[in-house]
Amino acid sequence: MISEGVWRKMAQEHSNRIYKLLQPGLIDNACTSNDTGNRRTQRKDRWSAIDSNNPVYNFLEEYYGVKGAKGVRRLGRWSPGLSFSSDGSVPVLAGARDDDVCGGCLHMRGFEFVYAQHEQFLSEDNDTSIVGVRYDPRQYFSNRVEESSDNGTSKAILASPFVWYRRILTTTQNNDPVTHCHGLHEWAMLYKPNGAPLPPSTKYQSHLPLRVDQTTINAAVERRGVSCTHVDALRFFAKDALPLNREGALLREDQIRMEQPACVHANMDLLKIALRLSPWIDSRLIADALEVAIEARKLDIAASPYDVSVYGFQPIKIENSQGRDEYRERQRIVMNKAAPVRQELLNAYDEFIDYTFGEDVTNDAENQHLPTSNSFSRSTF
């Protein structure tokens, strides 16, 4: 059991850290206009939506499904992870109540109230009061199977995304880094040869001015082609840029062999992978992954063909050799920062999968339940 004073302090520290990380990218949260006039009303708390025009933070909304103030608020909710008690059970958060879950600081997904009559806390007077809250994934997914018995959902199906992400973490960790991509994916999204239609992917940052012209964009992409190893980055390439990728047209199943630790998108995806495990993960690790993702995104945007000086960024001019050298240096910094977070995530996945599903279910998930082309492209939390 985790005492109330301890977990409440940890929950508040997590909330403060998430807010500090996100605050530069949040819409002004002092007040908001209602739909009926100019009257301004105070928000109920400090959380507000991501500014969809902020090129550093809008990836959270577009790629990882952090929608509105509600999504941002969820990032600030806390959970203890699977810090097992001495008897092998998941910890109980002493004194936690309904308000802590439904409108407070704890995650809503996967929680269960622990009552005094529970065998671990059984009292002589058969007290039925709530002792606290716990997050037991073994119980949660067993309940999911029972509730879905009519549509054939099995534990192996439920385990498959977790097994997949564990394989991605392992692959990324073991592969050699590729440091000659130079962040050209943003350029490939805007690639437009003479006579080609406007690429659909231009819509994603259409509010930003370009710092270079179309001729420079095309020349950068065509110089030596693109070396992109990330499946989800390729999904946003302009059609005419796809044949220029030296790694080929990658499918979802290729991710299991191609993901590598220098890729800014692979390092941003540590957040997506951490969120998939929420709330059965130490929230500190989610904050660590968010911090890495923001640093990777800053590099991504600085090396782009957009003019982001209004957001305080000096461009990394990868269209010339000096800029490419700078990109590689900063890419290695992000990679080194991401490495211990990736290892901790892998440890957390090992612990979660072993406790929740066991060896037989895990083997079934690995052998029979592969992702479809767009599976796991977004986070679920």
Side-chain angles (χ1 to χ4, degrees):
M1 180 177 288
I2 303 176
S3 68
E4 185 170 4
V6 169
W7 72 256
R8 286 195 185 278
K9 181 175 182 291
M10 295 173 71
Q12 186 61 55
E13 289 173 348
H14 170 73
S15 177
N16 291 343
R17 184 182 176 194
I18 293 293
Y19 185 76
K20 184 176 180 180
L21 287 169
L22 294 181
Q23 194 276 332
L26 299 180
I27 294 172
D28 178 17
N29 65 352
C31 50
T32 184
S33 298
N34 61 29
D35 294 332
T36 60
N38 294 323
R39 187 177 59 178
R40 315 270 290 176
T41 56
Q42 191 72 23
R43 291 189 186 274
K44 67 179 182 179
D45 57 28
R46 62 184 173 175
W47 303 105
S48 61
I50 297 291
D51 179 0
S52 59
N53 286 329
N54 189 306
V56 173
Y57 292 88
N58 61 9
F59 80 96
L60 293 167
E61 183 178 57
E62 184 62 40
Y63 299 157
Y64 299 149
V66 181
K67 302 290 187 180
K70 183 178 180 180
V72 174
R73 191 178 292 112
R74 282 205 303 271
L75 283 176
R77 287 178 178 261
W78 181 81
S79 60
L82 296 182
S83 52
F84 296 103
S85 303
S86 58
D87 62 356
S89 62
V90 296
V92 175
L93 305 181
R97 297 293 186 268
D98 183 72
D99 287 348
D100 294 313
V101 175
C102 297
C105 57
L106 299 178
H107 273 281
M108 296 179 68
R109 181 189 182 202
F111 82 94
E112 62 174 321
F113 291 121
V114 177
Y115 297 90
Q117 77 261 29
H118 187 277
E119 59 182 13
Q120 186 179 359
F121 306 102
L122 190 62
S123 58
E124 294 181 0
D125 58 359
N126 293 318
D127 184 8
T128 60
S129 61
I130 296 174
V131 173
V133 163
R134 69 179 174 186
Y135 296 86
D136 187 339
R138 183 184 290 169
Q139 185 64 51
Y140 176 81
F141 285 98
S142 294
N143 292 343
R144 285 279 305 276
V145 171
E146 292 178 9
E147 293 165 0
S148 306
S149 58
D150 292 342
N151 60 22
T153 298
S154 67
K155 269 197 172 181
I157 291 174
L158 295 175
S160 61
F162 302 104
V163 171
W164 172 260
Y165 279 133
R166 181 168 69 174
R167 293 175 69 185
I168 293 296
L169 290 168
T170 303
T171 294
T172 310
Q173 188 178 63
N174 292 339
N175 278 347
D176 293 332
V178 175
T179 57
H180 55 266
C181 73
H182 304 134
L184 277 169
H185 47 271
E186 289 284 349
W187 300 65
M189 291 170 66
L190 302 181
Y191 181 66
K192 182 181 175 295
N194 290 336
L198 192 68
S201 49
T202 58
K203 68 181 182 180
Y204 291 107
Q205 305 284 10
S206 59
H207 58 286
L208 294 174
L210 293 171
R211 64 173 182 82
V212 295
D213 59 21
Q214 188 66 54
T215 300
T216 304
I217 293 173
N218 290 352
V221 174
E222 293 168 356
R223 188 181 71 91
R224 290 188 178 178
V226 185
S227 296
C228 184
T229 59
H230 192 72
V231 173
D232 289 312
L234 280 173
R235 294 193 303 120
F236 295 93
F237 274 29
K239 181 179 178 181
D240 291 300
L242 287 171
L244 299 177
N245 186 36
R246 288 187 286 177
E247 306 299 340
L250 303 178
L251 302 175
R252 177 61 58 192
E253 53 265 31
D254 294 317
Q255 190 175 10
I256 209 68
R257 64 180 180 84
M258 295 297 295
E259 205 78 294
Q260 47 85 19
C263 174
V264 294
H265 286 97
N267 291 323
M268 288 164 62
D269 276 355
L270 290 177
L271 175 62
K272 177 175 70 174
I273 295 172
L275 291 176
R276 173 66 77 161
L277 205 55
S278 178
W280 305 288
I281 182 176
D282 185 343
S283 290
R284 175 194 57 79
L285 193 47
I286 288 180
D288 289 346
L290 175 61
E291 188 171 322
V292 168
I294 291 172
E295 287 304 307
R297 180 62 167 180
K298 287 178 178 178
L299 174 59
D300 195 24
I301 290 301
S304 76
Y306 298 107
D307 180 357
V308 290
S309 57
V310 69
Y311 293 95
F313 289 92
Q314 294 298 315
I316 301 175
K317 298 180 178 180
I318 62 170
E319 63 271 26
N320 62 51
S321 59
Q322 183 179 356
R324 291 190 288 273
D325 289 343
E326 181 183 356
Y327 183 88
R328 282 193 294 270
E329 181 180 351
R330 290 182 57 178
Q331 185 182 24
R332 290 189 181 99
I333 291 172
V334 173
M335 177 181 70
N336 291 336
K337 185 172 184 175
V341 178
R342 181 173 288 109
Q343 181 60 63
E344 282 198 72
L345 267 177
L346 183 56
N347 294 343
Y349 266 79
D350 284 341
E351 183 178 52
F352 168 83
I353 290 171
D354 290 347
Y355 172 77
T356 306
F357 300 111
E359 184 176 358
D360 291 343
V361 171
T362 301
N363 289 338
D364 187 16
E366 288 178 338
N367 295 330
Q368 298 185 31
H369 302 285
L370 296 175
T372 57
S373 58
N374 287 326
S375 293
F376 315 142
S377 62
R378 289 178 178 268
S379 65
T380 300
F381 80 107

